[in-house]
Amino acid sequence: MFAGTAVIIRHQKEMYRPNGNLVRSFARRSFCTVADGNLETSKVQIFDRHLKRKQRDRAAWLLNRKDSLVNTVADNLVDRLEDVKKTFPSALCLGGSLEAIRRSVRGRGSIEKLIMMDASYDMVKLCKDAEKDLSSDNIETLFMVADEEFLPVKESSVDLVISCLGLHWTNDLPGAMIQSRLALKPDGLFLAAIFGGETLKELRIACTIAHMEREGGVSPRISPLAQVRDAGNLLTRAGFTLPGVDVDEYQVRYNSALELIEHLRAMGETNALVNRVKFLKKDTALAAAAVYESMFAAEDGTIPATYQVIYMTGWREHESQQKAKRRGSATVSFKDIQKEFGVTAAAVDNLTGSLCSTCTPLCSSPPSTTKPPPSPPAVTFKPLPSPPAVPSRPPPSPKPVHKAPPPPRFYYFDSPLDVVPPPPTYISSGGSGNNHGPPSPRFVYFPSTQPAGGGGGGPGGFGQNSYPYPYPYYMYDSKAASWSA
């Protein structure tokens, strides 16, 4: 009732502009309003409702009555009336796919009176003009121009409220659903279909990439949509009983991204955000179309677009509806139920045997005399032959280690290191035995335990006139790096 009065004041304000204080004080008692006194449903303004009304007016001229997406969603929504035995003499259809809903309700739900409402005058006029083709279904149809956020409907006045693809553009979705519940009679039904959060996910990705590439930032091009997990909470918050939510996803293929935009315009689903960028650069639009086709194009050249539709069902409370008991109100425990009705496994076997002995002859027929089929022979698997043993190679014999002879005592000509025996007086440095000279630094003499041989001239040998050296010796030539005895 208050909602209807609010709409009347709003229209009078456009024509006569009454006192703003009166409008402001009345609206504060009825709705959440903005500070300037304009009638709005929510302080948080997400969508421009005036712009959305213009878009709906344009969609009335571009509407395609053979739109498979809109017709499928409307038919699936109204088809839920077939699952209910209750009849709905009076119904209210909110803004959205009005014409598709009007064609789908024929012969369903026993509807006698249908009120069709939309914020767009051109859309309501289009539906009224199309009523001439549907005059044979005996449904009284009324038409009304009003906003979903301010329902001009009396409380408890209709049996059914239907909204097909319209409520997702409201600023206060819970408030609009609460008003729909108040408009229903007790045990009335609420049916709604809205676009879900996965709708146009391909277009969202393409626009984001194009904006980042061309403009260095992101601008909101697709409106925020409700998620599936939020739909049940919305029904409960609005006060509906027996809430039900289910989801369908549809994929529509277009020849190009521009054809997708034309389809959205024909449905009235173009951008209506308050904080939108009002101008779209040409190069950004072309970049978004190119990204869309490069990332999501199919093999046949078409591009897909995903539409997620959330269907919501709720009832207004009534005493005849089944209700869950209050938590903790149970009077019988499970232990008592087990004692009274519980049957053990042994008792079940005994009960089955007693029943078989007294049941029909079909159960007590003699056992079959046919022999069971022979069991297949056991399959034995022979073990695989072990591979031949690889002869192990003997470990390599260690290389012989040539031990050097024990280090003999040795002398240098000029400085004996070990004075055993004493160094000779003269030692030839080479040539004939008579040639005596200074000792050569090339030679090192080692005493030996073998008896001495004859002396003679030669490099480092004993000459004829030299003192006899009583010990044999080894000679090492440092230049030739060799030993000689």
Side-chain angles (χ1 to χ4, degrees), residues 217-241:
V218 179
S219 175
R221 289 295 172 183
I222 299 179
S223 63
L225 299 171
Q227 300 294 330
V228 179
R229 60 180 178 272
D230 301 328
N233 297 333
L234 288 172
L235 290 170
T236 305
R237 180 180 176 183
F240 289 104
T241 59

Side-chain angles (χ1 to χ4, degrees), residues 73-147:
V73 174
D75 190 69
N76 291 343
L77 180 63
V78 180
D79 187 63
R80 283 156 172 76
L81 298 177
E82 300 290 341
D83 302 331
V84 182
K85 297 181 179 180
K86 180 181 174 60
T87 59
F88 306 95
S90 60
L92 171 64
C93 182
L94 302 180
S97 306
L98 293 181
E99 189 180 9
I101 291 293
R102 180 63 183 89
R103 293 194 301 267
S104 299
V105 296
R106 299 178 63 180
R108 293 176 174 175
S110 302
I111 297 176
E112 301 176 359
K113 182 179 180 180
L114 178 62
I115 303 174
M116 305 192 69
M117 187 194 77
D118 199 295
S120 170
Y121 173 80
D122 292 344
M123 188 64 70
V124 173
K125 186 176 182 301
L126 177 67
C127 297
K128 187 176 182 180
D129 295 340
E131 186 66 22
K132 296 179 291 185
D133 302 333
L134 303 172
S135 59
S136 59
D137 55 1
N138 298 324
I139 297 179
E140 181 185 359
T141 309
L142 303 178
F143 301 90
M144 179 170 50
V145 179
D147 197 337

Side-chain angles (χ1 to χ4, degrees), residues 141-155:
T141 309
L142 303 178
F143 301 90
M144 179 170 50
V145 179
D147 197 337
E148 297 94 335
E149 296 183 352
F150 298 97
L151 289 182
V153 180
K154 293 182 180 180
E155 185 177 352

Side-chain angles (χ1 to χ4, degrees), residues 347-359:
V348 171
D349 295 338
N350 296 334
L351 181 61
T352 305
S354 61
L355 288 177
C356 289
S357 62
T358 59
C359 63

Side-chain angles (χ1 to χ4, degrees), residues 104-416:
S104 299
V105 296
R106 299 178 63 180
R108 293 176 174 175
S110 302
I111 297 176
E112 301 176 359
K113 182 179 180 180
L114 178 62
I115 303 174
M116 305 192 69
M117 187 194 77
D118 199 295
S120 170
Y121 173 80
D122 292 344
M123 188 64 70
V124 173
K125 186 176 182 301
L126 177 67
C127 297
K128 187 176 182 180
D129 295 340
E131 186 66 22
K132 296 179 291 185
D133 302 333
L134 303 172
S135 59
S136 59
D137 55 1
N138 298 324
I139 297 179
E140 181 185 359
T141 309
L142 303 178
F143 301 90
M144 179 170 50
V145 179
D147 197 337
E148 297 94 335
E149 296 183 352
F150 298 97
L151 289 182
V153 180
K154 293 182 180 180
E155 185 177 352
S156 304
S157 59
V158 295
D159 300 289
L160 174 66
V161 174
I162 304 176
S163 175
C164 182
L165 304 181
L167 285 179
H168 55 272
W169 288 112
T170 57
N171 288 307
D172 186 11
L173 182 55
M177 296 175 65
I178 290 174
Q179 294 184 54
S180 300
R181 180 182 61 84
L182 295 176
L184 288 171
K185 295 179 182 179
D187 202 23
L189 178 62
F190 171 76
L191 294 176
I194 61 175
F195 282 125
E198 296 295 322
T199 300
L200 299 178
K201 57 184 179 181
E202 299 89 354
L203 182 60
R204 192 188 305 269
I205 295 173
C207 290
T208 302
I209 295 176
H211 274 276
M212 290 292 294
E213 179 185 355
R214 299 292 179 173
E215 302 180 13
V218 179
S219 175
R221 289 295 172 183
I222 299 179
S223 63
L225 299 171
Q227 300 294 330
V228 179
R229 60 180 178 272
D230 301 328
N233 297 333
L234 288 172
L235 290 170
T236 305
R237 180 180 176 183
F240 289 104
T241 59
L242 307 177
V245 178
D246 56 299
V247 184
D248 281 341
E249 282 193 3
Y250 307 93
Q251 192 174 78
V252 183
R253 295 189 175 274
Y254 302 92
N255 294 326
S256 64
L258 299 179
E259 186 177 352
L260 167 61
I261 301 302
E262 291 298 330
H263 186 203
L264 295 178
R265 288 180 178 177
M267 291 192 300
E269 298 293 337
T270 49
N271 191 4
L273 292 172
V274 173
N275 296 327
R276 69 190 182 282
V277 178
K278 298 183 179 181
F279 300 98
L280 178 62
K281 296 181 180 180
K282 183 178 179 180
D283 57 344
T284 304
L286 295 177
V291 171
Y292 200 123
E293 295 179 2
S294 63
M295 293 184 63
F296 304 104
E299 294 180 357
D300 56 355
T302 60
I303 59 172
T306 303
Y307 296 90
Q308 184 187 48
V309 182
I310 303 176
Y311 297 95
M312 296 184 291
T313 306
W315 296 81
R316 185 167 183 180
E317 64 277 359
H318 190 261
E319 58 183 7
S320 63
Q321 297 173 356
Q322 59 269 33
K323 298 179 181 179
K325 293 293 184 179
R326 183 177 57 84
R327 187 178 182 87
S329 60
T331 57
V332 180
S333 65
F334 283 103
K335 293 183 178 180
D336 298 336
I337 296 176
Q338 185 178 5
K339 291 179 181 179
E340 184 174 356
F341 300 102
V343 180
T344 62
V348 171
D349 295 338
N350 296 334
L351 181 61
T352 305
S354 61
L355 288 177
C356 289
S357 62
T358 59
C359 63
T360 60
L362 181 63
C363 291
S364 59
S365 58
S368 175
T369 58
T370 59
K371 295 182 179 181
S375 58
V379 180
T380 58
F381 297 95
K382 295 182 179 179
L384 295 176
S386 58
V390 179
S392 60
R393 295 181 179 180
S397 58
K399 294 182 179 181
V401 180
H402 300 282
K403 294 184 178 181
R409 288 174 291 185
F410 57 92
Y411 297 89
Y412 285 102
F413 286 108
D414 51 354
S415 59

